[in-house]
Each structure stands twice: as C-alpha cells, then as structure tokens.
Amino acid sequence: MGRQLRCVAAISVLALTMVAFSGAFSPAQAQELLLTNLVLNNYEGRIRVRFGIEPSGLERITQFLASGERLALHCRARLAQKRDYVWNQEVSSAVWESELRRLKSGDFVVTLPGQGPMADKDLGVLFRKHLNEILIDLGSWDRLERGVTYVLTLDLALGRPDVSPWIKKGLFFWSFDAVRPVSYQLDFTY
C-alpha cells in the first residue's frame, strides 16, 4: 500500500511540474535571428568577420525578458578549408557571447564583451544600435592559401543560460531557446 501511494504521489508531482513549466519551456514559435551585413576581410593581417543580428520578431524575446529571464546571445564563427569527399578541415574558430536582460525600471540591457552594459527602453532599438556590428577575430590571415576554397559558418543562438544541463539533457526534445538557433554558411575562394 505504501509503495503504491509513493508511486501515485511521484506521478502527481511529475504531472504538476510539467503543467507548471509548460509555459516557461514552450518552443520558439518559428522566430529566428537574421544575419545582416556579413563582411569577411583582412584587417591588419587578421581574419575579421563583421556582421549584425536582427530578430525576425521581438514578441517572444520580450516575453522572456519581461518574466525576469536572462538570455545569452551565443555566436560561433568557424572557418574551414572546403573538401569534397571528407569533412571540411577547420582552420580556426572563435566564440562571441553577450547577455540580454530587463531591469526593474523597464529598460532592456545588453552586456557586450569589452564594452559593458548598454541600455534602452526599446528592445528593437537596442538590437539596431548595439548588435548591428559584431566583430569576431579568427586569427592570422597567413593561415589562408591562395586558390583554396573555404567555408565560413556562423552559428547563432539566443538561449536561457539559467536552465540546468540535466533538464536540457533529460528533455532533449524540448527547445529551451528564446529564439530558434540558426546557422549561416558562406563559401569563398581566396
């Protein structure tokens, strides 16, 4: 009798937990991060990737921030030598991270690496002013060989860093991101 009671209690707790978190863990509703003004160039002998980010919609991001969530903007740039019959050979990679949050005063804040926090009342203006020119350094330009085809891949994600890894792994089929992660690719021959 005690074992059955514990089993019923455990199932009830699990069901209540799923109902309570169903709104907080809902999928990203097809919003994504759009890439703007992508430039790959040689700046003082360094491979520089410059681009901007603009969300396709602000409703879901605003909803997360208004509920007190912090959001982490994660940008990963990878440069690889393109190969036909095997995997591309990575030349270099780098990560750029930022954080979005909302203050009690109602201002939206983005914390940029090396620059500190920037605030604005309008989330759209914050994206246009402070996330329209992201710079990622991919190392020395000398790594590139003339006549070789390369692939630049940008992975962009806006997720919730406060979600425990064991929950993410346990509910691997569920999206914990505020916006669906996207990947962009640029092939070029040097």
Side-chain angles (χ1 to χ4, degrees):
M1 182 70 169
R3 185 174 182 197
Q4 287 178 339
L5 187 58
R6 282 191 301 240
C7 184
V8 168
I11 291 172
S12 298
V13 168
L14 180 63
L16 286 173
T17 303
M18 292 302 283
V19 168
F21 288 122
S22 64
F25 296 140
S26 59
Q29 298 178 355
Q31 288 185 342
E32 60 185 23
L33 296 173
L34 305 174
L35 189 65
T36 62
N37 303 325
L38 175 63
V39 176
L40 175 82
N41 65 359
N42 180 349
Y43 180 77
E44 297 179 353
R46 308 290 293 173
I47 303 168
R48 290 279 175 98
V49 180
R50 186 178 73 228
F51 59 95
I53 294 175
E54 183 178 307
S56 61
L58 294 173
E59 303 82 27
R60 183 137 176 96
I61 300 169
T62 304
Q63 181 182 32
F64 273 104
L65 295 173
S67 69
E69 294 276 349
R70 286 183 315 123
L71 298 176
L73 177 59
H74 182 84
C75 305
R76 181 171 186 226
R78 290 177 293 172
L79 184 63
Q81 184 177 348
K82 188 170 184 165
R83 301 194 294 190
D84 291 330
Y85 301 109
V86 292
W87 290 276
N88 295 337
Q89 181 180 0
E90 187 170 299
V91 175
S92 68
S93 67
V95 173
W96 185 94
E97 293 182 319
S98 178
E99 181 183 277
L100 281 168
R101 59 191 164 88
R102 187 169 188 188
L103 301 176
K104 290 181 181 178
S105 66
D107 286 357
F108 295 99
V109 176
V110 62
T111 304
L112 302 172
Q115 296 179 6
M118 309 290 181
D120 202 297
K121 290 263 186 221
D122 186 348
L123 186 58
V125 171
L126 190 71
F127 267 95
R128 284 188 297 277
K129 281 175 65 176
H130 301 293
L131 295 172
N132 66 341
E133 190 170 298
I134 296 170
L135 292 170
I136 298 180
D137 188 316
L138 288 174
S140 174
W141 189 265
D142 297 339
R143 293 177 159 184
L144 303 181
E145 300 174 33
R146 287 217 176 265
V148 175
T149 301
Y150 293 94
V151 179
L152 172 67
T153 306
L154 288 173
D155 299 318
L156 309 175
L158 185 61
R160 299 175 6 201
D162 296 333
V163 177
S164 171
W166 68 269
I167 291 177
K168 284 183 183 178
K169 288 180 182 177
L171 298 173
F172 63 90
F173 52 86
W174 204 274
S175 174
F176 291 93
D177 297 318
V179 175
R180 181 177 47 181
V182 293
S183 185
Y184 294 96
Q185 181 175 315
L186 171 70
D187 295 8
F188 67 96
T189 302
Y190 172 54

